[in-house]
Amino acid sequence: MLIINCCTRFHAPSSIRISVVRRRTHSLTHSFCYFGHENNSLAKSPMEQSNLSANTVMDHPRAITDKIALIRDADPSKFQVIADFDATLTRYRVNGLRGQTSHGLLQQGNAYYDAKRQALYDHYHPLEISPVIPVDEKTKLMEEWWSKTHELLIEGGLTYEAIKKSVADSSIAFREGVTELFEFLEKKEIPVLIFSAGLADVIEEVLRQNLHRTFKNVKIVSNRMVFNDDGQLVSFKGKLIHVLNKNEHALDMAAPLHDRLGVDTAEEDEENANMKKRTNVLLMGDHLGDLRMSDGLNYDTRISIGFLNDNIEKSLESYREAFDLVYLNDAPMWGALELVSQLFSTEAS
């Protein structure tokens, strides 16, 4: 790997430094960047900084510095974070193996129904990723898949105890830096919308068991379950959310973390209305389709971060064209934390 040009400094807002290292691998030239900050207590060790910069790709640094300046000039009350859950907030690999997703970890405690849900996955997943099926047709197929899966969960007698056990037995894990990112945003009273085509109750349990605390600024836009007094699933609440409609159009499904996590759900409608007024956005996802999560929000400025966890050589070009920043190889969340610390520095609070 040949270093062509190292540590070029671009004009940036006060106290922000963006260093770019250009390296050539085979026929591709990559721009690796690192957001630096003078006297920043959030900065990692030199080795961690080096590892982060070596796994960061940015094609248009000037465009990002312009976006940073626009967001910094606005009030924090105009800002929100929109994030996918699986393989974005969570790690793609855990202990060298593919980590589980919030949907994939779920075991009903009934092998027959677990097998039937797996059969649905085997049938519909190739259709989901097919590049030749028109979007309208694929949307109907996804609605069909999700509806059938939800019916099996109800028919199979899923209980909340089974959810807790499934999470406890799972290999799902958050990226390093997620807790610190949430804490920073909570302190700044900046909301985090987690958009997921999975199951809100499972995601909440993953948060509870893995982060061991709650965040009043975190909202989950996902499929929410309704349990009876015996803790058994009886229905789903609201609109069906699948991979092709998880966006700000589904904001009415958003709610603070569930009561069982000790979070107050009062004034929910007012909070959702205020969310629409937050027109500066940091969006994070691991698929190109995640860029649609901000559909329905008439945003002013959006910075997008893509996590490219696998098939890097095949997918890098499309990711670097679509996202402002791309993190490679299941990178930690420190880069996103550094970025928001530049947008709303602790010194100014």
Coordinates of all heavy atoms in Angstrom, one line a residue, residues 98-137:
R98 N -20.1 -13.8 12.4 CA -21.2 -12.8 12.1 C -22.1 -12.7 13.3 O -22.6 -13.6 13.8 CB -22.0 -13.4 10.9 CG -23.2 -12.5 10.5 CD -22.7 -11.2 9.9 NE -23.9 -10.5 9.3 CZ -24.6 -9.6 10.0 NH1 -24.3 -9.3 11.2 NH2 -25.6 -9.0 9.4
G99 N -22.2 -11.4 13.7 CA -23.1 -11.2 14.9 C -24.6 -11.3 14.5 O -25.0 -11.2 13.3
Q100 N -25.4 -11.5 15.5 CA -26.8 -11.7 15.3 C -27.5 -10.4 15.1 O -27.1 -9.4 15.6 CB -27.5 -12.5 16.4 CG -27.0 -14.0 16.4 CD -27.7 -14.7 17.6 OE1 -27.4 -14.4 18.7 NE2 -28.5 -15.7 17.2
T101 N -28.7 -10.4 14.4 CA -29.5 -9.2 14.3 C -30.6 -9.3 15.3 O -30.9 -10.3 15.9 CB -30.1 -9.1 12.9 OG1 -31.0 -10.2 12.7 CG2 -29.0 -9.2 11.8
S102 N -31.3 -8.1 15.5 CA -32.4 -8.1 16.5 C -33.5 -9.0 16.1 O -34.3 -9.5 17.0 CB -32.9 -6.7 16.6 OG -33.3 -6.1 15.4
H103 N -33.7 -9.3 14.8 CA -34.8 -10.2 14.4 C -34.2 -11.6 14.4 O -34.9 -12.6 14.9 CB -35.2 -9.9 13.0 CG -36.7 -9.8 12.8 ND1 -37.5 -10.8 13.1 CD2 -37.5 -8.8 12.3 CE1 -38.8 -10.4 12.9 NE2 -38.8 -9.2 12.4
G104 N -33.0 -11.8 14.0 CA -32.4 -13.1 13.9 C -32.2 -13.8 15.2 O -32.1 -15.0 15.3
L105 N -32.0 -13.0 16.3 CA -31.7 -13.6 17.6 C -32.9 -14.2 18.3 O -32.8 -15.1 19.2 CB -31.0 -12.6 18.5 CG -31.9 -11.4 19.0 CD1 -32.8 -11.7 20.2 CD2 -30.9 -10.3 19.4
L106 N -34.1 -13.9 17.8 CA -35.3 -14.2 18.5 C -35.6 -15.7 18.4 O -35.7 -16.3 17.3 CB -36.5 -13.4 18.0 CG -37.8 -13.6 18.7 CD1 -37.7 -13.2 20.1 CD2 -38.9 -12.7 18.0
Q107 N -35.8 -16.4 19.5 CA -36.2 -17.8 19.6 C -37.5 -17.9 20.4 O -37.5 -17.4 21.5 CB -35.1 -18.6 20.3 CG -33.8 -18.6 19.5 CD -33.8 -19.3 18.2 OE1 -34.4 -20.3 18.0 NE2 -33.2 -18.6 17.2
Q108 N -38.5 -18.4 19.7 CA -39.8 -18.5 20.4 C -39.9 -19.5 21.5 O -40.9 -19.5 22.2 CB -40.9 -18.7 19.3 CG -41.1 -17.6 18.3 CD -42.2 -17.8 17.3 OE1 -41.9 -17.8 16.1 NE2 -43.4 -18.0 17.8
G109 N -38.9 -20.4 21.5 CA -39.1 -21.5 22.5 C -39.9 -22.6 21.9 O -40.4 -23.5 22.6
N110 N -40.1 -22.5 20.6 CA -40.9 -23.5 19.9 C -40.2 -23.8 18.5 O -40.2 -23.0 17.6 CB -42.3 -23.0 19.6 CG -43.3 -24.0 19.0 OD1 -42.9 -24.7 18.0 ND2 -44.5 -24.1 19.5
A111 N -39.5 -25.0 18.4 CA -38.7 -25.3 17.3 C -39.5 -25.3 16.0 O -39.0 -24.9 14.9 CB -38.0 -26.6 17.5
Y112 N -40.8 -25.7 16.1 CA -41.6 -25.7 14.8 C -41.8 -24.3 14.3 O -41.6 -24.1 13.1 CB -43.0 -26.3 15.2 CG -44.0 -26.3 14.1 CD1 -43.9 -27.1 13.0 CD2 -45.0 -25.4 14.1 CE1 -44.8 -27.1 11.9 CE2 -46.0 -25.3 13.1 CZ -45.8 -26.1 12.0 OH -46.8 -26.1 11.0
Y113 N -42.1 -23.3 15.1 CA -42.3 -22.0 14.6 C -41.0 -21.3 14.3 O -41.0 -20.5 13.3 CB -43.1 -21.2 15.6 CG -44.6 -21.5 15.6 CD1 -45.1 -22.4 16.5 CD2 -45.4 -21.0 14.7 CE1 -46.5 -22.8 16.5 CE2 -46.8 -21.3 14.6 CZ -47.3 -22.2 15.5 OH -48.6 -22.5 15.5
D114 N -39.9 -21.6 15.0 CA -38.6 -21.0 14.6 C -38.3 -21.5 13.2 O -37.7 -20.7 12.4 CB -37.6 -21.5 15.6 CG -37.7 -20.7 17.0 OD1 -38.3 -19.7 17.0 OD2 -37.2 -21.3 18.0
A115 N -38.5 -22.8 12.9 CA -38.2 -23.3 11.6 C -39.1 -22.7 10.5 O -38.6 -22.4 9.4 CB -38.4 -24.8 11.6
K116 N -40.3 -22.4 10.8 CA -41.2 -21.8 9.8 C -40.8 -20.3 9.5 O -40.8 -19.9 8.4 CB -42.7 -21.8 10.3 CG -43.3 -23.2 10.4 CD -44.8 -23.1 10.6 CE -45.5 -22.7 9.4 NZ -47.0 -22.9 9.5
R117 N -40.3 -19.6 10.5 CA -39.8 -18.3 10.3 C -38.5 -18.3 9.5 O -38.3 -17.5 8.6 CB -39.6 -17.5 11.6 CG -40.8 -17.1 12.3 CD -40.6 -16.2 13.5 NE -39.9 -16.8 14.6 CZ -38.7 -16.4 14.9 NH1 -38.0 -15.4 14.3 NH2 -38.0 -17.0 15.9
Q118 N -37.7 -19.3 9.7 CA -36.4 -19.5 8.9 C -36.8 -19.8 7.5 O -36.1 -19.3 6.6 CB -35.6 -20.6 9.5 CG -34.2 -20.8 8.8 CD -33.3 -19.6 8.9 OE1 -33.2 -19.0 9.9 NE2 -32.8 -19.2 7.7
A119 N -37.8 -20.6 7.3 CA -38.2 -20.9 5.9 C -38.7 -19.6 5.2 O -38.4 -19.5 4.0 CB -39.3 -21.9 5.9
L120 N -39.4 -18.7 5.9 CA -39.8 -17.5 5.3 C -38.6 -16.6 4.9 O -38.5 -16.0 3.8 CB -40.7 -16.7 6.2 CG -42.1 -17.2 6.5 CD1 -42.8 -16.3 7.5 CD2 -42.9 -17.2 5.2
Y121 N -37.6 -16.6 5.8 CA -36.4 -15.9 5.5 C -35.7 -16.4 4.2 O -35.2 -15.7 3.3 CB -35.4 -15.9 6.7 CG -34.1 -15.3 6.4 CD1 -33.9 -13.9 6.7 CD2 -33.0 -16.0 5.9 CE1 -32.7 -13.3 6.5 CE2 -31.8 -15.4 5.7 CZ -31.6 -14.1 6.0 OH -30.4 -13.5 5.7
D122 N -35.6 -17.7 4.2 CA -34.9 -18.4 3.0 C -35.6 -18.1 1.7 O -35.0 -18.0 0.7 CB -34.8 -19.9 3.2 CG -33.9 -20.3 4.4 OD1 -33.1 -19.5 4.8 OD2 -34.1 -21.4 4.9
H123 N -36.9 -17.9 1.8 CA -37.7 -17.6 0.6 C -37.6 -16.1 0.2 O -37.4 -15.8 -1.0 CB -39.2 -18.0 0.8 CG -40.1 -17.6 -0.4 ND1 -40.0 -18.2 -1.6 CD2 -41.0 -16.6 -0.4 CE1 -40.9 -17.6 -2.4 NE2 -41.5 -16.7 -1.7
Y124 N -37.8 -15.2 1.2 CA -38.0 -13.8 0.9 C -36.7 -13.0 0.8 O -36.6 -12.0 0.1 CB -38.9 -13.2 1.9 CG -40.4 -13.5 1.7 CD1 -41.0 -14.4 2.4 CD2 -41.1 -12.8 0.7 CE1 -42.4 -14.7 2.2 CE2 -42.5 -13.1 0.5 CZ -43.1 -14.1 1.3 OH -44.4 -14.4 1.0
H125 N -35.7 -13.4 1.6 CA -34.5 -12.6 1.6 C -33.8 -12.5 0.2 O -33.4 -11.4 -0.1 CB -33.4 -13.2 2.6 CG -32.2 -12.5 2.7 ND1 -32.1 -11.1 3.1 CD2 -30.9 -12.8 2.4 CE1 -30.9 -10.7 3.1 NE2 -30.1 -11.7 2.6
P126 N -33.7 -13.6 -0.6 CA -33.2 -13.4 -2.0 C -34.0 -12.4 -2.8 O -33.5 -11.6 -3.6 CB -33.3 -14.8 -2.6 CG -33.2 -15.7 -1.4 CD -34.0 -15.0 -0.3
L127 N -35.3 -12.3 -2.5 CA -36.2 -11.3 -3.2 C -35.9 -9.9 -2.7 O -35.9 -9.0 -3.5 CB -37.7 -11.7 -3.0 CG -38.1 -13.1 -3.4 CD1 -39.6 -13.3 -3.1 CD2 -37.8 -13.3 -4.9
E128 N -35.6 -9.8 -1.4 CA -35.3 -8.5 -0.8 C -34.0 -7.9 -1.5 O -34.0 -6.7 -1.8 CB -35.0 -8.6 0.7 CG -34.6 -7.4 1.4 CD -34.1 -7.6 2.8 OE1 -34.2 -8.7 3.3 OE2 -33.6 -6.6 3.4
I129 N -33.0 -8.7 -1.7 CA -31.8 -8.1 -2.2 C -31.7 -8.2 -3.8 O -30.6 -7.8 -4.3 CB -30.6 -8.9 -1.6 CG1 -30.6 -10.4 -1.9 CG2 -30.6 -8.7 -0.1 CD1 -29.4 -11.1 -1.4
S130 N -32.7 -8.7 -4.4 CA -32.7 -8.8 -5.9 C -32.6 -7.5 -6.5 O -33.4 -6.6 -6.2 CB -33.9 -9.6 -6.4 OG -34.0 -9.5 -7.8
P131 N -31.7 -7.3 -7.5 CA -31.6 -6.0 -8.2 C -32.5 -5.8 -9.3 O -32.6 -4.7 -9.9 CB -30.1 -6.0 -8.6 CG -29.8 -7.4 -8.9 CD -30.6 -8.2 -7.9
V132 N -33.3 -6.9 -9.7 CA -34.1 -6.8 -10.9 C -35.6 -6.6 -10.5 O -36.4 -6.3 -11.4 CB -33.9 -8.0 -11.7 CG1 -32.5 -8.1 -12.2 CG2 -34.3 -9.3 -11.0
I133 N -36.0 -6.8 -9.3 CA -37.4 -6.7 -8.9 C -37.8 -5.2 -8.7 O -37.1 -4.5 -7.9 CB -37.8 -7.5 -7.6 CG1 -37.5 -9.0 -7.8 CG2 -39.2 -7.3 -7.2 CD1 -37.7 -9.8 -6.6
P134 N -38.8 -4.7 -9.4 CA -39.2 -3.3 -9.3 C -39.6 -3.0 -7.8 O -40.0 -3.9 -7.1 CB -40.4 -3.2 -10.2 CG -40.3 -4.3 -11.2 CD -39.6 -5.4 -10.4
V135 N -39.4 -1.7 -7.4 CA -39.6 -1.3 -6.0 C -41.0 -1.6 -5.6 O -41.3 -2.1 -4.5 CB -39.2 0.1 -5.8 CG1 -39.6 0.6 -4.4 CG2 -37.7 0.4 -6.0
D136 N -42.0 -1.2 -6.4 CA -43.4 -1.4 -6.1 C -43.7 -2.9 -5.8 O -44.4 -3.2 -4.8 CB -44.3 -0.9 -7.2 CG -44.3 0.6 -7.3 OD1 -43.8 1.2 -6.3 OD2 -44.8 1.1 -8.3
E137 N -43.2 -3.8 -6.6 CA -43.4 -5.2 -6.5 C -42.7 -5.7 -5.2 O -43.2 -6.5 -4.4 CB -42.9 -6.0 -7.7 CG -43.1 -7.5 -7.6 CD -42.6 -8.2 -8.8 OE1 -42.4 -7.5 -9.9 OE2 -42.5 -9.4 -8.8

